[in-house]
Amino acid sequence: MRVVITKNYDEMSKWAAHFVAKKILDANPTAEKPFKLGCPTGSSPLGMYKELIRLNKAGVISFKNVITFNMDEYVGLPEEHPESYHSFMWNNFFNFIDIKKENVHILNGNAPDLLVECDHYEQMIEDAGGIDLFMGGIGPDGHIAFNEPGSSLTSKTRVKTLTTNTLQANCRFFDNDIRKVPKQALTVGVGTVMSAKEIIILCSGHTKARALKHAIENGVNHMWTVSMLQMHQHGNIVCDEECCCDLNVSTYQYFKDKQRIEGLVEHFADMFE
């Protein structure tokens, strides 16, 4: 596992965006061989998306030959609802880049048969040849996508009932009224994410510090589903200093020394300046 510690949210976002951009450029995708990108929602990736938009408008990268698969979507929320993940992605990313609409894939939380929808989504990912790079965030309880504590570490795309902690965390987007937050979501599974060729997880702020500690320092545990990243051959976590407050000093120093020797932060942060 690679762990990159940046100064703050802005530097984390910039580093992650440049990392993603380089992966796309190195792949040199074509219509016949597109790059497959897994996309998250939430506050963590907003800065990364903003920088990717800048790079796209500057002509550094193109998304014309990129296919995206989003991590999740609420059940029963209309796609046009401002808090649906369809709206989130188009309002914060897709509307501002040169991606083709037919290359965007987001789970349908209003499908007549949710189980069929989940199976179909997994099949689309498989038919596309798998995800090249899955981007993601971490919940305060260590969940990735909506794979909350107790989720199977080999799980695939499915319907998930959301915990009270998740409902409380997300009610800020619904007028701080927990009753308005959908109680279920469709989500890719831990196994779906782990099947990607490479993964990058963003982690920022003191509220995610405990989750980061479990992801890095403790063993693989289904109660902290992000910990499964330890088992991935090409797993990356990029975080900020504030998020590292619960790490052991030796752990923190190990990764800081490693990235200093390899020049990781400077390399990606300044790559497209």
Side-chain angles (χ1 to χ4, degrees):
M1 178 193 292
R2 170 194 280 170
V3 178
V4 176
I5 302 170
T6 60
K7 293 178 183 177
N8 49 42
Y9 176 82
D10 289 340
E11 186 176 271
M12 179 197 74
S13 300
K14 186 177 181 181
W15 193 97
H18 291 193
F19 178 88
V20 173
K22 186 176 187 304
K23 293 296 177 181
I24 295 173
L25 288 172
D26 287 349
N28 193 24
T30 63
E32 293 74 28
K33 191 179 179 181
F35 188 88
K36 287 85 66 180
L37 186 66
C39 296
T41 55
S43 56
S44 295
L46 284 174
M48 176 182 66
Y49 286 151
K50 184 177 180 180
E51 178 65 6
L52 286 171
I53 291 168
R54 185 188 74 81
L55 294 176
N56 179 242
K57 291 188 178 302
V60 174
I61 57 169
S62 172
F63 292 88
K64 288 181 179 178
N65 294 316
V66 173
I67 296 177
T68 63
F69 289 91
N70 258 74
M71 279 188 157
D72 39 31
E73 178 59 287
Y74 287 116
V75 169
L77 206 63
E79 287 186 8
E80 64 273 13
H81 190 284
E83 297 305 330
S84 76
Y85 291 157
H86 279 76
S87 293
F88 178 97
M89 291 305 301
W90 285 101
N91 293 338
N92 290 291
F93 191 36
F94 294 148
N95 278 331
F96 307 99
I97 59 175
D98 60 345
I99 196 166
K100 298 174 182 176
K101 188 173 182 179
E102 61 268 26
N103 285 348
V104 171
H105 301 87
I106 306 176
L107 282 155
N108 180 8
N110 296 286
D113 190 323
L114 297 178
L115 298 181
V116 170
E117 170 67 11
C118 292
D119 290 343
H120 177 58
Y121 203 70
E122 282 285 337
Q123 188 62 53
M124 285 196 296
I125 293 174
E126 184 178 336
D127 291 345
I131 305 294
D132 292 304
L133 176 63
F134 227 131
M135 308 180 292
I138 306 179
D141 58 3
H143 70 257
I144 51 174
F146 275 125
N147 294 287
E148 299 185 311
S151 295
S152 167
L153 297 180
T154 60
S155 56
K156 297 297 185 180
T157 303
R158 66 206 189 286
V159 183
K160 236 359 210 114
T161 298
L162 306 182
T163 65
T164 299
N165 284 342
T166 297
L167 298 177
Q168 289 174 338
N170 289 354
C171 74
R172 69 187 188 277
F173 302 117
F174 293 86
D175 304 321
N176 288 313
D177 187 348
I178 197 170
R179 295 170 299 180
K180 294 182 180 180
V181 185
K183 304 302 185 289
Q184 289 186 315
L186 304 184
T187 181
V188 296
V190 180
T192 312
V193 177
M194 288 292 292
S195 295
K197 296 180 180 68
E198 191 160 12
I199 303 169
I200 181 170
I201 299 294
L202 283 66
C203 196
S204 173
H206 71 276
T207 60
K208 307 293 181 67
R210 190 161 169 245
L212 180 65
K213 181 179 180 66
H214 280 273
I216 296 173
E217 293 184 339
N218 296 341
V220 175
N221 191 320
H222 68 295
M223 298 307 293
W224 298 86
T225 54
V226 71
S227 66
M228 190 62 173
L229 193 66
Q230 297 174 30
M231 304 296 292
H232 199 281
Q233 190 174 7
H234 300 290
N236 305 274
I237 293 179
V238 55
C239 55
D240 58 17
E241 293 279 356
E242 187 178 349
C243 195
C244 295
C245 60
D246 281 359
L247 295 180
N248 292 328
V249 173
S250 58
T251 302
Y252 173 86
Q253 198 58 55
Y254 169 78
F255 286 114
K256 289 289 284 188
D257 285 347
K258 192 171 186 292
Q259 72 186 40
R260 175 182 55 80
I261 293 169
E262 296 179 0
L264 284 173
V265 173
E266 295 79 6
H267 176 62
F268 283 105
D270 300 330
M271 181 173 295
F272 299 110
E273 292 305 307

